[in-house]
Amino acid sequence: MTIQKIEAHSSEAQSANLVADNIEKLKALFPELLTETVVNGQTTAALNMDVLKALVGDATVTDSDEKYGLNWHGKRKARQIALTPSTGTLRPAKDESVDWDTTQNLMIEGDNLEVLKLLQKSYAGKVKLIYIDPPYNTGKDFVYPDNFQDNIKNYLELTGQTEGGSKITTNTEASGRFHTDWLNMIYPRLKLAKSLLRKDGVIFISIDDGEVSNLRKICDEIFGEENFVSTLIWEKRYSPQNAVQWFSESHDFILVYAANKELWKPNLLERSDEMNARYRNLDNDPRGDWKPADATEQAGHGTPAQFYEFTSPSGKTFSPPNGRCWVYTKPRMEEMLADNRIWFGASGDNAPAIKRFLTEVKQGVACQTIWKYEDVGHNQEGKKEIKEIFPEAVPFDTPKPTRLIERILKVGTTDASNDLVLDFFGGSGTTAQAVYSVNKMDNGKRKFILVQLPEETADNNYSNIAEVTKERLRRSGKIVKGSDPLFTGDIGFRCFKLDTSNIRAWKPNVNDLKTSLFDNLEHIEPERSNDDVLYEVLLKLGLDLCVPMEAQQIAGKTVHSIGGGALMTCLDAHIGVADAEGLALGMAQWREAQGTATETTAVFRDSAFENDVAKSNLAAILEQHGIKHVRSL
């Protein structure tokens, strides 16, 4: 007989297994017992002792910390990060754009958390409809690792624009942070998105079973439970999958929340040919097609005046069936008979029916909550569209079909106004193509803002997903235009890219302050163009990135007038004493020629002025001519 030696590592392993087994048993019996806890920076599963005490009837448990809602580790920080201003900016990329000078559409390459922050001043309360298809929480890694300390630096490292390598958030089902990571990702983005919605705006969010319950609670908190509109069911597959363990999933969800449910109402959908085919003109009525409708209703809904005998033109009398009454009183029925609105059949002896004219019914139907794939497409259709646009391979497994987004646009926007549509998980660009397409259908003026992270892709044709997005916008615009050469709508986009601010931050060397002071005489980062600086000024002052803009040469300097003179800028590198008067007078004359009714802000480079005399002279002359807000960078 041999005695087995107990090794240190074996006992640890056994203990670990026993603990894991016990936790799994408790989880099976009482899933509400398990929570997440952070110890030394590691998130692990732990027991909620208050819940355990409550389950065994311990009276020492109080409800002082109980409240209705969804809580997770990091929620407070996620809320705070939505309130933290961005240190970045958006740099124009004209060479990657289409119809830069005329388009009202935006395609922004960057981390959507930072982009949403940067859009706050310019687009707060201006977005009519938001549609997003965020990464589903499938247990796979997703690339939205927000670094609350310096998200711009983190973003540049992630996308390979600076040294440091890529970082990916690990999000496996074995991780104690499986739901936490996803919630921390989506919460601040939705918080920022809400402030961009118009008062009569609406948001549609695609999601699957994995996080739909949590997403619903988050949206109740952010948008208000009272503004929940509906959970739509989209039939994403047309055939069952047999290689599944439980059920073959055929649908996804689309959560719909209004900014204010009292102000937003969905549009009616177009009547189908099948619906209209039910109307015919059997008696050549000059009012057009009609269909017969029951002339009776349940007796419990009627009054004594609705019970009577009714005589047809042929002399035949009719009474309502048992338990029914006529829908109208006798005088009203006789008026309708005189107006040829009662039908007695081709023979004239049938029971009376009410003629319902097609021209008098609602020219549309209410949108139902189940969206069938025959009407809005399915995943395979989305794949087919991608393959038709990109004969080369592209890295999208489950792109949404364009018809699905077209339905959302038809329900949530109108052709009569310049409704702004936002999608900050732009993906392959389906939303933009849908905007092009719906505008072509009804000659609408909808415009879009798309945001997409330049996430690396294994596809050899494109370095990152944002490149795919931009290319789809270019190709789909041509497809829409080619399908209707008479269409004159906007099929372009302005491209911007997230980057660090053009304006230098003050970072002195405490050991050499003199050198630091001289190094910071120029406040603009080197290798940044005047256009880079100009668009950062627009963002800081809250102006639209597609606002009308003109340029003139005044006193040998390039001057821009933005928004009809609301903003005037001169970002030339040198303004001497001799230049100040001519420049200021020229700007004032141009402002007057434009008939600018609003107050004007003028912006210059601080380092451009030859000295304080040049700066003070220019500011004084501008003020004398009504330009009182003068700023320098």
Side-chain angles (χ1 to χ4, degrees), residues 593-612:
Q594 293 177 98
T596 305
T598 60
E599 290 190 347
T600 297
T601 298
V603 178
F604 305 87
R605 283 182 184 243
D606 193 71
S607 61
F609 293 104
E610 181 179 356
N611 50 39
D612 289 344

Side-chain angles (χ1 to χ4, degrees), residues 467-482:
E467 293 300 321
V468 179
T469 312
K470 286 178 280 189
E471 186 59 23
R472 181 172 185 178
L473 267 59
R474 298 183 191 106
R475 297 188 187 187
S476 61
K478 292 179 180 178
I479 291 172
V480 170
K481 180 67 175 178

Side-chain angles (χ1 to χ4, degrees), residues 191-263:
K191 194 80 172 173
L192 290 163
K194 179 181 183 295
S195 63
L196 298 178
L197 278 177
R198 281 168 33 177
K199 292 180 180 179
D200 62 344
V202 64
I203 184 170
F204 291 73
I205 309 173
S206 286
I207 197 66
D208 67 352
D209 274 313
E211 295 291 354
V212 65
S213 59
N214 288 334
L215 182 60
R216 175 76 185 270
K217 290 183 177 68
I218 286 177
C219 289
D220 282 346
E221 179 177 327
I222 293 175
F223 298 97
E225 187 175 2
E226 69 279 6
N227 291 316
F228 169 72
V229 177
S230 186
T231 300
L232 306 177
I233 309 298
W234 169 48
E235 190 178 21
K236 65 180 180 180
R237 291 194 179 96
Y238 59 86
S239 60
Q241 292 180 306
N242 292 325
V244 295
Q245 189 171 2
W246 291 288
F247 294 97
S248 174
E249 291 186 358
S250 297
H251 71 277
D252 271 353
F253 303 98
I254 302 176
L255 296 188
V256 185
Y257 279 80
N260 185 327
K261 196 174 179 180
E262 296 301 316
L263 299 179

Side-chain angles (χ1 to χ4, degrees), residues 80-87 112-121 151 192:
Q80 290 172 345
I81 193 62
L83 302 174
T84 305
S86 175
T87 59
N112 52 22
L113 178 64
E114 293 302 305
V115 173
L116 287 169
K117 292 179 183 180
L118 291 168
L119 297 179
Q120 291 300 307
K121 278 192 175 182
N151 206 44
L192 290 163

Side-chain angles (χ1 to χ4, degrees), residues 225-428:
E225 187 175 2
E226 69 279 6
N227 291 316
F228 169 72
V229 177
S230 186
T231 300
L232 306 177
I233 309 298
W234 169 48
E235 190 178 21
K236 65 180 180 180
R237 291 194 179 96
Y238 59 86
S239 60
Q241 292 180 306
N242 292 325
V244 295
Q245 189 171 2
W246 291 288
F247 294 97
S248 174
E249 291 186 358
S250 297
H251 71 277
D252 271 353
F253 303 98
I254 302 176
L255 296 188
V256 185
Y257 279 80
N260 185 327
K261 196 174 179 180
E262 296 301 316
L263 299 179
W264 182 79
K265 295 294 183 288
N267 300 321
L268 297 175
L269 296 176
E270 295 177 4
R271 296 179 58 85
S272 66
D273 291 339
E274 181 182 356
M275 293 176 183
N276 292 337
R278 299 169 189 163
Y279 291 78
R280 296 180 294 167
N281 197 344
L282 300 175
D283 59 352
N284 295 318
D285 194 306
R287 288 165 291 195
D289 292 347
W290 54 270
K291 72 174 183 178
D294 194 352
T296 68
E297 64 181 7
Q298 290 183 1
H301 297 160
T303 65
Q306 291 173 248
F307 294 87
Y308 53 87
E309 284 190 345
F310 188 66
T311 304
S312 72
S314 67
K316 190 173 182 178
T317 60
F318 297 92
S319 296
N322 289 335
R324 309 282 292 180
C325 65
W326 299 113
V327 293
Y328 300 116
T329 62
K330 190 170 185 179
R332 176 61 181 148
M333 284 285 278
E334 289 175 346
E335 287 177 6
M336 294 185 68
L337 178 62
D339 194 28
N340 191 24
R341 288 179 177 269
I342 305 295
W343 173 251
F344 294 94
S347 65
D349 291 327
N350 292 348
I354 307 296
K355 292 168 67 174
R356 302 293 186 198
F357 290 93
L358 178 58
T359 56
E360 296 175 350
V361 300
K362 284 185 176 181
Q363 295 306 300
V365 293
C367 183
Q368 295 180 292
T369 56
I370 297 179
W371 291 12
K372 307 288 287 183
Y373 67 78
E374 309 97 271
D375 301 320
V376 298
H378 45 70
N379 278 340
Q380 287 301 115
E381 181 176 314
K383 284 185 177 181
K384 182 180 179 182
E385 286 178 344
I386 287 287
K387 288 180 179 178
E388 290 175 348
I389 296 173
F390 295 94
E392 65 273 30
V394 291
F396 288 97
D397 296 325
T398 55
K400 296 295 186 287
T402 305
R403 286 198 293 157
L404 175 67
I405 316 302
E406 288 175 355
R407 164 71 67 87
I408 290 172
L409 295 175
K410 290 176 181 178
V411 169
T413 65
T414 61
D415 60 334
S417 57
N418 296 321
D419 284 347
L420 179 58
V421 178
L422 169 64
D423 181 351
F424 52 91
F425 288 96
S428 69

